Amino acid sequence: MRQQHTASTPRGWEVAPSPGREGGNGLARYVVAAALARTADGGAVVAVVLLVTSSGGSGTLAGVLGACITVPHLLGPFVARPLDLARDGRKVIAAACLLYATALAAGVLTYGHAPAVATGLLLAAAGTCGPLLTGGISSRLPAIVGPRPRLRTQRRAQGWDVATYGIGGTVGPSLVAALSGWVSPTAAALALAVGAAAAAGGVLLLPFTAPPHGGDRTAILRPGATLALMARTGPLRRTVYLTMTVALSVAALPITAVHMTRILGVEPATAAVLTAAYGLGNLAGSTAVMVFPLTGDPDRLMRRLALGVVAGLLAVTASPAFPVTVSAYALTGILNAFFFASTLAARTEYAPSGARGQVFVWVAALKITSGSAGTALAGSLTGVTVQLPLVVGLLAVSAAVVAATVETRFGGADEKRGP
């Protein structure tokens, strides 16, 4: 059997080594590399904003330069195609980590010494690499757990992946805040750049997997075709709109935290306690997924866990006192970590191998877009009433779950599984 497989492999294309030989070492290297990359990506915006404001720059300039890092994430689907085309996808991701590190360092070092446009372009170059540091790295996880792993092993690995996102979103900003206070925002940003560069080395140490196209690059879908595939494939379509809707809803939590301190009768500074509770809850949830991996069909899991997020948002909305609100924020973080793990499982199990990298990055890019829209929406709705963004979010997620349930029950046989 192995001889036949080797003979059918196009000349010049390596056959992937057995992931089983890697054991836990491959996953450990993955966790380190992913955590470093996502810490850099998660803290960069905070570093840039602190750099501008601490030097006397306007809030508008700080926002624009911060957006230069986040907005290019929308280009992720177009950046991701080389990942599926490459002979060795690790090199594509490692190159993105190095370019991210170089552009971020150059951007912060040129601030105040060159036109703001030049700084913005450098930061935008870093932001363009961001999708490969998030969804791109996640697409390498199947190569570590193997093509036919035990379900429990696969789901536990996805729990570790969720943890690296939680680390990036929590440790990144916290590290920047600490280093900015002890040294300077520039030093904080440079530390993130060093972390991203180190992540490049970690990515290259991950197990090699043969490219899905096997030498026939014409088999790799273009970004538009990949999006069309996701739209017509039931499980992937539901993965997209459930992910986007939940991202839109939880994006309101940091905004409402600031305003809820007023109606709860506590100091505005304690809003940081609420956002920290959400972040710690997210980490706790990802740890729980590692210890007790999710079981069952990802399509069904997403719907049930999305309803869990609804319950968390409802608890935040109805909380009568600050301690209860802190607990509700932590609970929502835990439930969202479980939901995120289910979406990673869906992307892994439903995406075709020839477009897996693009599917991972497409979903990540759409999630970021929806989260940004949720932040903007929450900012406008809190002027009406503090809880309104949360109510809108939980109603939107509930409607998405109903739509997904109707699709599943009344869809055709092709809705059961992806291609």
Side-chain angles (χ1 to χ4, degrees):
M1 181 69 69
R2 179 172 294 276
Q3 289 177 346
Q4 292 176 351
H5 176 73
T6 303
S8 64
T9 302
R11 182 173 298 177
W13 296 95
E14 301 177 66
V15 177
S18 171
R21 300 173 189 171
E22 295 291 333
N25 292 333
L27 182 59
R29 292 195 293 269
Y30 177 90
V31 170
V32 171
L36 286 171
R38 289 159 184 169
T39 296
D41 192 54
V45 175
V46 180
V48 169
V49 170
L50 288 177
L51 173 66
V52 175
T53 55
S54 65
S55 62
S58 67
T60 300
L61 180 59
V64 169
L65 292 182
C68 286
I69 294 181
T70 57
V71 171
H73 278 70
L74 301 180
L75 299 175
F78 304 94
V79 176
R81 190 165 186 258
L83 187 58
D84 287 328
L85 286 172
R87 179 175 181 174
D88 187 349
R90 298 174 302 175
K91 294 180 180 179
V92 175
I93 299 173
C97 290
L98 290 175
L99 179 56
Y100 187 98
T102 302
L104 177 62
V108 298
L109 290 175
T110 57
Y111 177 72
H113 305 284
V117 173
T119 299
L121 290 174
L122 288 167
L123 295 177
T128 302
C129 298
L132 292 178
L133 275 63
T134 53
I137 293 182
S138 289
S139 70
R140 310 307 299 171
L141 197 57
I144 295 173
V145 298
R148 298 184 185 276
R150 289 192 310 157
L151 181 63
R152 186 177 180 84
T153 301
Q154 179 174 281
R155 298 288 172 83
R156 177 173 283 118
Q158 289 160 354
W160 278 104
D161 201 27
V162 174
T164 64
Y165 280 98
I167 290 170
T170 305
V171 175
S174 300
L175 177 65
V176 167
L179 287 178
S180 296
W182 294 337
V183 189
S184 68
T186 300
L190 293 178
L192 296 179
V194 171
V203 168
L204 291 176
L205 293 175
L206 297 179
F208 171 81
T209 182
H213 52 72
D216 181 14
R217 299 189 180 193
T218 60
I220 300 300
L221 298 178
R222 295 187 179 278
T226 302
L227 183 61
L229 170 72
M230 294 164 61
R232 68 174 180 265
T233 304
L236 287 178
R237 180 173 61 249
R238 292 187 284 275
T239 300
V240 170
Y241 68 70
L242 285 170
T243 298
M244 292 181 66
T245 310
V246 170
L248 182 141
S249 66
V250 299
L253 291 172
I255 304 297
T256 54
V258 177
H259 296 277
M260 286 188 75
T261 57
R262 184 174 66 253
I263 64 174
L264 292 172
V266 294
E267 293 294 325
T270 56
V273 176
L274 296 176
T275 55
Y278 175 80
L280 292 174
N282 198 280
L283 283 175
S286 60
T287 302
V289 174
M290 288 184 283
V291 178
F292 306 104
L294 299 176
T295 58
D297 179 55
D299 203 5
R300 184 180 299 108
L301 282 171
M302 284 189 297
R303 298 195 302 273
R304 293 178 176 177
L305 293 170
L307 287 178
V309 175
V310 169
L313 293 173
L314 185 60
V316 172
T317 305
S319 57
F322 184 71
V324 178
T325 307
V326 172
S327 300
Y329 264 75
L331 175 64
T332 307
I334 292 171
L335 294 169
N336 191 40
F338 274 84
F339 172 76
F340 183 39
S342 71
T343 68
L344 288 176
R347 284 183 253 180
T348 299
E349 297 181 28
Y350 301 139
S353 59
R356 179 169 288 128
Q358 293 186 73
V359 168
F360 266 89
V361 178
W362 256 120
V363 176
L366 293 171
K367 177 182 177 182
I368 290 172
T369 303
S370 188
S372 299
T375 301
L377 180 64
S380 61
L381 293 180
T382 48
V384 181
T385 178
V386 174
Q387 291 93 344
L388 184 57
L390 299 173
V391 173
V392 170
L394 65 88
L395 289 176
V397 176
S398 299
V401 171
V402 170
T405 302
V406 171
E407 269 197 48
T408 305
R409 291 188 177 180
F410 299 100
D414 62 322
E415 293 286 297
K416 300 296 183 183
R417 300 286 298 181

